[in-house]
Each structure stands twice: as C-alpha cells, then as structure tokens.
Amino acid sequence: MRLPRTLGAAAAAAVTLAVPTIPGAAAAVTPALPTIPGAAAAVPLAAAGVPAAAGPDGFATVAGHGQATTTGGAGGPTVTVTTAAAFLDHIARPGPYVVQVSGTIALPVGAHDGMHPVASDKTIVGLGPGAALTGGGLTVGLPVDEDLTTPPPAAVHNVIIRNLRFSGSPDDLINVQMFSHHIWIDHNDFSDGDDGAVDIKRGSDLITVSWNRFHDHDKTLLLGHDDDNAAQDAGRLRVTYHHNFFDGSDQRNPRVRFAPLVHVYNNYYLDNSYGIASTNDAGLFVEGNYFVSVNNPGRVDFSGPLGRMVQRDNILVDCNHAIETRGTVAEPRTFYPYTADRAASVPTIVPAGAGTGKV
C-alpha cells in the first residue's frame, strides 16, 4: 500500500568545534572537529547531494536549562584513546574534552552491567569508519534518583557522540537519563545490545538523534521511562529523530511516553514489526519518512494511555496498516528551523549517509 510523500534534510546551524593543542596530550591533537582524520573510506554525503552537518540541529540547538546550544567538548583538549582505561578516564573527567576513539575498544562489564558514565561538555568521536565500542555502553546522566522531579544544577549536559560503532552491551548501548540535556547522537552504528540502543528517559530533554544506522537489534529507541514516571518525564523529553536508518531493527523506533513534542522526520524504515508508538499523551510530529514492509508504521493505540500523532508526507510501501493519527501536535518550526527532504528521496540518501565513516 502506498501513501503520500514529504519533505526532509536537516538544516544545521554550523558549530565550529575548534580546540587548542595542549602540551602532553595523549596523542594526536586535531585543530578542529568534526573533520575526522583517517576517515579515508568515508562516503561523502555531498556525493548524495547531502552535506554532512558541521554541528547539531533540531532540539539539540534549542536554548533551555541554562544552555544555549550543544557544542560538546569545544574549547577543551583533544586526546586520542586506544584503550578502555584511557577512554573511561577521559569521558568522566570534569571540563570540556574532545575524546577521539582509535580502533576497537572493549569496555569492561564492571559493577554496573557494562554501563559507563559520561560527564558534561564532551565530544566522543570515532576516527575513521572502523572506530568501535564493544561489550558495554555509555550512560549520559546522573545515577537514578526516583524522588528527584526537577532538573538538578549538576545534570549532565552538552555531550556529542559521533562516528562510533556500538555493539554487544549487556544493557543499553547508550542510556540518557536523569534530566540530561543538549545531547547530539549522530552518524553512529548500533547493533546487538541486550536492551535499548539509545534510551532517553527520566526528564532528559533537548536532544537530537540523527543519521544513525540501527540493525540486528530488538528494542531500539525508548523515550520515557514507564507509565508511572510522569513526575520526571511530562513536559520534557523533547527529541528530534531524523535521517536514521532502521534497518530491520524490530521495534521502538521510537516508543514514546509523555513528551510534548517529538519530531520524527526523513527516517528510513525497512522490515520492522512497528515503527513509532505514541502513548501517555506524547505528541509526535511524523513527516517525510519512508516505510517499507513495516507491520505498524505508527501507533497511538498501543500499550498504556493513548498518545497523539500528526503525520505529513510519509510514504508507506508493503505495510499492513496506515499510520494512526490522533489529536494535535505543535509544528516543530515553532522551536527550530529545518528543511525536510522529499520522502521519495529517503531510501537513497539515508542508507548512503547514515552510520559511520560518513563525516
């Protein structure tokens, strides 16, 4: 069954991530990011007519919680790490750092099921198309405190994660929690985690997840902790998901609770049991996506209270159900500028541009 078309590419406000050299820094210091040395096998997005974003876009650029936009480790030292010890040391340090990952780093399981904390003001970026983190995941956020219902001053913020392959975690691959804000997760490859690929919950806010490939994974993107967590989540969880390739990732692409506005545009869905689910009065604006062989592309009648969903210019091919719509949702342009690509172009530009080795 075929349904309409759409718009979609992310108009990114360029953020120059220039960083100074520092005496004694572990290894190579690059004068600027996100030009990544060693990415010889990179497939330039320009070849597909899509320039790679120099900086974040979407909700990660919206001012709030005392932060103007997302710059990551800009202004701090750049270090290149090749071991788990060096990697975990630098991502947990105070202050801005650009942490470049060279090769494959196996993360230890440790006492927290393989999840390792990331501190504020960090850019974590892989060098070339083969940089990888295996056997564990990253937690962007303070430890869970169920009694905390307002953002604490020490909430983790201003984190960029790009150009990395994540696989094999016994828990999540990336977990964003406890009122973390201004996070940009871009051009990564996610597979084979035991729980979520990128879970965002417990009051986290102002986040963009863009140009990632998700494959060989079940529960992909959880947004909102559970049906009883309105005290932390309601009015927050504003996230932009764009130009991601859901390549056979089975479900939760994303599955949303409580968020007032989630913008899902220009994503490519291929062979999924369901695409998007909105519950607990979450508001999803779904536009310019391309769904192929997806049983339920978009749902509001799901588990838990009904959500809201508005759809515009999406294309459905060989899907068993239409996108369910309900209620009204604010226009994303109320919050940030963007330009959507035509939905018909999504099956070409998204596989060509999503994942690692493309920035």
Side-chain angles (χ1 to χ4, degrees), residues 94-343:
Y97 274 87
V98 176
V99 181
Q100 300 181 145
V101 175
S102 178
T104 296
I105 293 178
L107 298 176
V109 173
H112 300 286
D113 210 12
M115 300 303 295
H116 302 281
V118 178
S120 297
D121 305 313
K122 299 293 179 292
T123 294
I124 303 171
V125 60
L127 295 178
L133 299 175
T134 65
L138 303 180
T139 291
V140 182
L142 299 172
V144 170
D145 182 347
E146 295 186 353
D147 296 325
L148 190 64
T149 58
T150 57
V156 176
H157 61 278
N158 195 30
V159 173
I160 294 171
I161 302 172
R162 301 187 82 193
N163 201 52
L164 282 164
R165 295 180 181 272
F166 290 84
S167 65
S169 174
D171 197 339
D172 298 330
L173 296 170
I174 295 180
N175 171 40
V176 182
Q177 67 179 24
M178 290 308 298
F179 305 97
S180 295
H181 60 91
H182 289 92
I183 315 296
W184 184 32
I185 299 170
D186 176 74
H187 278 101
N188 301 289
D189 183 286
F190 296 96
S191 66
D192 192 32
D194 275 6
D195 197 356
V198 178
D199 283 1
I200 300 169
K201 56 198 180 187
R202 295 190 179 275
S204 298
D205 201 15
L206 301 177
I207 295 166
T208 297
V209 179
S210 56
W211 293 104
N212 301 287
R213 179 179 177 233
F214 300 92
H215 62 99
D216 299 297
H217 195 89
D218 183 15
K219 298 175 180 178
T220 312
L221 304 172
L222 177 66
L223 182 56
H225 178 59
D226 63 25
D227 290 351
D228 298 322
N229 204 52
Q232 290 182 329
D233 285 339
R236 303 183 177 98
L237 303 177
R238 291 171 292 177
V239 179
T240 304
Y241 297 96
H242 74 83
H243 293 91
N244 298 289
F245 185 12
F246 298 106
D247 186 6
S249 56
D250 190 53
Q251 58 179 313
R252 298 186 181 180
N253 300 301
R255 187 255 196 266
V256 184
R257 298 178 175 97
F258 297 115
L261 175 58
V262 178
H263 190 194
V264 181
Y265 78 95
N266 284 162
N267 300 285
Y268 183 35
Y269 293 83
L270 180 64
D271 292 328
N272 321 106
S273 65
Y274 79 81
I276 305 155
S278 175
T279 66
N280 300 83
D281 200 41
L284 274 78
F285 199 102
V286 179
E287 67 170 322
N289 303 285
Y290 199 105
F291 299 85
V292 179
S293 188
V294 180
N295 185 40
N296 280 286
R299 306 187 67 180
V300 295
D301 187 0
F302 193 61
S303 172
L306 298 176
R308 294 172 290 124
M309 192 178 303
V310 170
Q311 72 95 13
R312 178 169 69 198
D313 299 333
N314 298 281
I315 293 177
L316 279 63
V317 177
D318 295 330
C319 297
N320 293 327
H321 301 278
I323 295 173
E324 299 173 6
T325 59
R326 177 178 179 265
T328 60
V329 181
E331 278 275 352
R333 287 187 181 87
T334 306
F335 298 89
Y336 54 81
Y338 70 98
T339 302
D341 294 307
R342 295 183 310 112

Side-chain angles (χ1 to χ4, degrees), residues 19-30 75-80 90 93 97:
V19 292
T21 58
I22 53 168
V29 177
T30 51
T78 295
V79 295
T80 298
H90 284 90
R93 290 186 181 191
Y97 274 87

